[in-house]
Each structure stands twice: as C-alpha cells, then as structure tokens.
Amino acid sequence: MRRAAVLPLAACLALAVAGARASDSRDPFQSPQWTLVHREALKLAPVVFDSRVKVTGPAFAEDPMRVPIAFDASALGEVDRIVVAVDRNPIRTVLEFEPLKVRPSLSFRFKLEQASPVRVAARTRDGVWHVGGTMVDASGGGCTVPGATRRDGSWSTTLNRVESRVFPGLGGSGGRVRLRVMHPMDTGLVAGIPAFHIESLTLSDGARQPMLRLTLHEPVAENPIFSFDLREAIERGMTVAGRDNNGNRIAAQVTP
C-alpha cells in the first residue's frame, strides 16, 4: 500500500516539473522573430526565460540612434557569457559579454530600427541560457541613417580615442568603470558607407589578466559608452585594448 501511494506522488511531481519547464520555454513577448534569435545568437542551445535577468530600458526610444539599456544577471550566480539581441533589428546581435572578473551587469546604448523586444541571454555553467528582456517602442530608422560624426566628418580626428572614469565603491569594495571609445560604428546599411565598427574590447588588470571581454556588432551606438561593476576593489594599472573591423587598434590606460 505504501508503494501504491508513492508512485502517484512521484508522477505528480514529474508532471509539475514538466509543466514549469514548459512555461519557462514560452516567449513572454510572443515574437515571431524569437526563433531566429534563438538560432542565430544562441545556436539553438537550451533556453529558459528567467525573470532573474533584469533588463531596463525606455518604454519609447526618443533617439533610436542611442537607446540606453542596462542589465544585471547577478542573481543567477556564475555566468560565463551574455548575449544582447534585438528581435526586429536588421542585424539582431548587438554585443557579447564575458564577465571574467566583473559582475554580469552592463549599461550601454544601441541603435534600434523599429519597436522590438530587446533580449539579454546569460549562460550559466551548465550551458543553459537564461533570457530576460524588455519591450522598447521607437519611431524607427536607428540602423539605417548615418551617425552625427559621419555626417560632419569629425570621426577621423577622434577615431579609437578612449576616455575612462572610475567610481569607487562604498567602503573601498568594488567600484564602477565607465569607458567611452570614439568610433562611428557604421552598420553598413547606409548607402555609400560600408560597415565600420569596433569588433572587440578587453579590460585587463595591472597584471595584464583579462577582467572582461566584449565582442561588439554594428548596432552598438556611435562613440559607445560602457559602464560595468567590479567585483573587487579598484586597482591601478587597468588597461583597455581592442580593434575594429578595419584592423585599427585600440589601447589605453584606465586611470582611477
């Protein structure tokens, strides 16, 4: 009799778990483009929609060339890679982020072509992508018009110049680093202007050990600004290095 009582309970638990997994697999935005994002950006790896991945952005993008977005996946624990993608952009993948020695959180700006879900997918050590997002409305055209420095021709005088600022954390622990890299970040979707964008950025500590890596794509905003949070106290000797898709190098010291 004990055995007969246990089996139905186990079956009910299995059904409950299966039901939870099924609900986690449904796209909360019900976007037809989600299957493309899953294939292109996440390579069809296992996915769960997870409210612990916090994503914030404007309800309406007043400037579709510079849409602010911020995310924080710290509640997941260990995260080895994060991908940001926009369903309805002509180029869907915006950036990829490896938070090696920093918190899995970042704020930056990107170009938005039309109203779209903005996705942030954080991969945990088990290989599962945990996806959060927000819906941003827009008048459109962010990816298909030239940036300000491209229009006035000033981009060539500041190309790949790096500006940095460090904000100490409370009690000497942690802190925030803000980087700005001057670059036109051309998408290649404007007539007569080929794709020209930063491909990679790496922040390293004083011992030249990588603290984070960024892989950037065309939808990142012109003259991009990135803000991220350190896990430990700010140290001297941090550097940033990278390159764009034309082979131009980026190298600078980050001064506390």
Side-chain angles (χ1 to χ4, degrees):
M1 292 181 66
R2 289 180 182 175
R3 192 173 187 179
V6 169
L7 286 175
L9 176 60
C12 289
L13 289 173
L15 288 172
V17 171
R21 287 176 179 169
S23 66
D24 289 341
S25 66
R26 297 192 192 110
D27 175 19
F29 299 108
Q30 299 182 356
S31 168
Q33 290 83 14
W34 162 245
T35 55
L36 298 174
V37 173
H38 189 196
R39 183 176 70 236
E40 295 172 5
L42 307 181
K43 311 305 179 188
L44 297 177
V47 163
V48 59
F49 293 99
D50 196 326
S51 61
R52 291 177 295 174
V53 180
K54 304 297 184 184
V55 185
T56 56
F60 182 84
E62 295 182 2
D63 181 358
M65 297 286 290
R66 300 180 58 80
V67 182
I69 199 79
F71 63 80
D72 189 344
S74 301
L76 297 177
E78 291 295 321
V79 171
D80 64 7
R81 194 171 189 85
I82 295 173
V83 173
V84 179
V86 178
D87 287 28
R88 296 175 187 155
N89 263 7
I91 301 169
R92 294 185 181 89
T93 303
V94 178
L95 64 74
E96 301 161 62
F97 174 37
E98 293 179 68
L100 303 172
K101 295 183 180 180
V102 301
R103 291 168 57 89
S105 60
L106 186 71
S107 62
F108 67 101
R109 296 175 185 266
F110 71 99
K111 307 181 192 83
L112 182 63
E113 183 64 15
Q114 59 181 301
S116 176
V118 179
R119 316 273 187 173
V120 175
R123 187 176 67 187
T124 46
R125 298 295 182 181
D126 57 4
V128 175
W129 290 97
H130 299 254
V131 182
T134 188
M135 186 72 187
V136 181
D137 199 356
S139 57
C143 295
T144 51
V145 296
T149 61
R150 177 62 71 178
R151 290 194 301 268
D152 64 22
S154 63
W155 65 271
S156 60
T157 63
T158 60
L159 183 67
N160 288 341
R161 179 189 299 169
V162 177
E163 301 170 358
S164 62
R165 189 172 180 184
V166 178
F167 303 88
L170 294 176
S173 62
R176 169 162 286 204
V177 177
R178 180 178 296 168
L179 296 175
R180 184 185 191 192
V181 185
M182 306 301 289
H183 201 285
M185 298 299 291
D186 299 314
T187 62
L189 301 176
V190 179
I193 303 176
F196 183 40
H197 63 96
I198 301 169
E199 288 186 323
S200 63
L201 287 175
T202 300
L203 178 76
S204 299
D205 62 20
R208 298 298 187 265
Q209 295 301 307
M211 301 177 70
L212 68 85
R213 294 191 184 97
L214 286 169
T215 300
L216 308 183
H217 299 273
E218 295 90 326
V220 173
E222 177 185 29
N223 299 332
I225 299 174
F226 304 99
S227 296
F228 46 86
D229 298 309
L230 305 179
R231 293 186 183 276
E232 300 177 357
I234 294 168
E235 60 176 84
R236 294 186 178 276
M238 290 187 292
T239 57
V240 60
R243 58 175 292 165
D244 64 28
N245 66 327
N246 279 11
N248 299 301
R249 298 288 177 174
I250 300 164
Q253 191 89 8
V254 178
T255 54

